[in-house]
Amino acid sequence: LENDLFHMFKIAILACDNGYGHLKRCLLIAYYLSSQGISVDLYGDSSGFKIAKNIEFNHKKKPTLIPWNFSYDIKYFLSNDCKSFKVLDKLPQLSKYDLVLSDNIIEVLLKRKDTILISQFFWHEVLKDIDEEYKNECRKIINSYKPLIFGDKYFSMKYIKDNLNFLPTGIFTSNYDCSTTDNIYDKKRSLLITGGNTNQSYKILKETIEIVEKNYFNFIDKIFIDENIIPQNHSLKIMKFDYTNAQFNEIIACICRPGIGIISDCIKHNIRIFTAHEENNLEMIHNSEIINNMRIGENLDIENLSSMKKYFNSKLSILKNKQICSSIDLNGVNHIYKFLKENIMRN
């Protein structure tokens, strides 16, 4: 009877357009919930759905992936569109669903007051140039509807955690087992440089690639780089990064704009994180601080990459990083399922 009830339960998941981290998190949740017999429709950026092919899902039942453009990105927040809540015009029909999960699109609450948010931060709180009127209206929405908010217990910002309806979870990862023996770390000699699906750190990452090419090639086997920042006439050591588990298993360190998606991948695969990002981005500053505090990475001085070189050449440091990563809770997807099963789907 319980399985029949789950099969009849229908969930919509709406993924914010900005970057792949939000969509990847939603894909992980959608696939897991589907594997438990729940009907799931995931609305998100079609270009990001390619990630689904590279995440190891061993489930027969899969969610329905629906290409959708919410235009809920940096341009939206820095234009007049946000003040009139124009994203509401782009929402799908939600009345047919038993439950709606929204990854960082808080305006959905105006259409479905029972929407559950998935958020580590709120856009209206992290963007410094955002309109004050819009910021205040967003705060009113949160205060009025008092939504349940899933957020991981490590990287969620204080104002998220202070919410009375905050539901802490582990980091969001797939159930792919990437555990390995220590001696394999002698063979991991590759570097990843990534800014994710955004150009906001384009300049600093391009500069970093040039410095690595000129001065640090001798101790690196391969450098995996996002396609949009691969230099012309590059070395044969440079390869396009495709987010595959096979590539992650070759990587020992990552220079990145620290969005939650790539952070989660690095923790799961025991990859040391060296952060590089644009100035004045409160989310990136916050994530970098947490990475430092958790001792899973550090800020990168692009003028001097000696700390990264030292890490590559220290087996003890590599194993210590692995021990720390192995102690981190990676069960965020299961935590969401368990909460929904015990508190929502039984009602």
Side-chain angles (χ1 to χ4, degrees):
L1 179 61
E2 185 177 86
N3 288 335
D4 290 340
L5 288 173
F6 287 0
H7 183 72
M8 293 168 60
F9 204 82
K10 196 168 180 64
I11 295 178
I13 302 178
L14 315 183
C16 168
D17 301 297
N18 200 73
Y20 282 152
H22 299 278
L23 184 58
K24 184 168 186 179
R25 177 166 60 192
C26 289
L27 282 165
L28 292 166
I29 295 167
Y31 271 84
Y32 189 80
L33 295 181
S34 295
S35 75
Q36 302 303 312
I38 302 166
S39 175
V40 180
D41 290 346
L42 171 57
Y43 295 84
D45 179 5
S46 60
S47 65
F49 285 158
K50 63 185 180 183
I51 298 174
K53 299 175 184 177
N54 297 324
I55 299 174
E56 303 236 5
F57 296 112
N58 300 313
H59 311 304
K60 292 180 181 179
K61 296 180 181 179
K62 298 180 180 180
T64 302
L65 305 183
I66 303 174
W68 207 268
N69 179 16
F70 296 104
S71 298
Y72 200 75
D73 52 21
I74 300 299
K75 287 182 181 178
Y76 173 81
F77 300 116
L78 300 182
S79 72
N80 287 327
D81 288 352
C82 67
K83 289 197 289 184
S84 56
F85 295 144
K86 283 202 172 178
V87 69
L88 293 175
D89 298 333
K90 299 198 172 188
L91 296 182
Q93 177 55 250
L94 300 176
S95 60
K96 62 183 177 180
Y97 296 103
D98 297 298
L99 178 67
V100 176
L101 299 177
S102 176
D103 191 314
N104 245 23
I105 308 177
I106 69 167
E107 288 93 329
V108 181
L109 287 161
L110 297 172
K111 292 276 188 175
R112 282 283 301 252
K113 64 181 181 180
D114 60 341
T115 297
I116 299 179
L117 300 181
I118 306 167
S119 301
Q120 263 71 46
F121 66 92
F122 290 142
W123 287 109
H124 61 272
E125 300 290 357
V126 297
L127 296 176
K128 287 191 172 182
D129 296 326
I130 205 160
D131 182 82
E132 283 296 320
E133 182 183 340
Y134 174 70
K135 180 189 287 189
N136 290 331
E137 288 301 315
C138 288
R139 287 174 173 173
K140 286 180 184 177
I141 290 173
I142 298 300
N143 291 333
S144 297
Y145 291 95
K146 296 178 174 53
L148 296 173
I149 305 173
F150 289 120
D152 86 66
K153 56 192 173 187
Y154 301 102
F155 287 89
S156 293
M157 290 192 168
K158 185 178 184 300
Y159 57 81
I160 297 287
K161 290 181 176 179
D162 286 347
N163 191 291
L164 291 176
N165 291 321
F166 174 64
L167 302 168
T169 73
I171 297 285
F172 296 93
T173 62
S174 70
N175 61 356
Y176 167 68
D177 182 10
C178 60
S179 59
T180 185
T181 55
D182 291 346
N183 63 351
I184 287 180
Y185 283 81
D186 293 334
K187 301 174 184 178
K188 286 167 67 90
R189 304 290 302 174
S190 295
L191 172 68
L192 169 62
I193 302 178
T194 177
N197 184 34
T198 174
N199 292 323
Q200 288 165 265
S201 295
Y202 181 87
K203 186 172 182 285
I204 190 171
L205 292 176
K206 289 286 283 186
E207 291 174 6
T208 304
I209 292 167
E210 291 177 10
I211 293 169
V212 171
E213 271 198 293
K214 287 179 183 177
N215 304 303
Y216 295 93
F217 254 21
N218 59 328
F219 64 91
I220 298 171
D221 287 346
K222 298 177 189 174
I223 304 178
F224 294 104
I225 300 178
D226 294 328
E227 187 173 21
N228 66 327
I229 54 174
I230 290 180
Q232 293 182 336
N233 305 315
H234 58 79
S235 161
L236 292 177
K237 283 190 175 186
I238 291 180
M239 306 183 73
K240 186 179 81 159
F241 179 51
D242 290 321
Y243 293 90
T244 64
N245 283 309
Q247 288 181 339
F248 276 120
N249 285 336
E250 292 186 56
I251 296 165
I252 198 171
C254 172
I255 298 172
C256 67
R257 179 179 187 270
I260 195 64
I262 192 62
I263 292 171
S264 302
D265 286 325
C266 288
I267 292 172
K268 176 180 174 180
H269 292 272
N270 310 311
I271 296 168
R272 185 106 178 136
I273 303 169
F274 295 86
T275 63
H277 57 83
E278 68 277 16
E279 295 181 358
N280 298 324
N281 185 314
L282 297 181
E283 179 202 358
M284 296 299 109
I285 293 169
H286 169 81
N287 287 352
S288 294
E289 290 174 352
I290 299 298
I291 286 166
N292 275 288
N293 293 341
M294 293 176 70
R295 296 180 294 125
I296 55 174
E298 58 204 83
N299 297 326
L300 182 73
D301 178 2
I302 66 168
E303 300 300 326
N304 181 5
L305 304 184
S306 58
S307 61
M308 187 183 72
K309 181 178 180 180
K310 184 178 179 181
Y311 179 75
F312 263 82
N313 293 321
S314 172
K315 183 177 179 181
L316 182 63
S317 295
I318 293 167
L319 292 179
K320 186 176 181 180
N321 193 75
K322 178 180 183 290
Q323 289 173 347
I324 295 171
C325 288
S326 299
S327 69
I328 295 171
D329 184 351
L330 303 179
N331 293 307
V333 172
N334 185 262
H335 291 156
I336 286 185
Y337 168 68
K338 186 176 179 181
F339 178 86
L340 296 181
K341 178 181 175 182
E342 295 176 356
N343 297 280
I344 305 295
M345 290 185 284
R346 291 191 185 281
N347 293 340

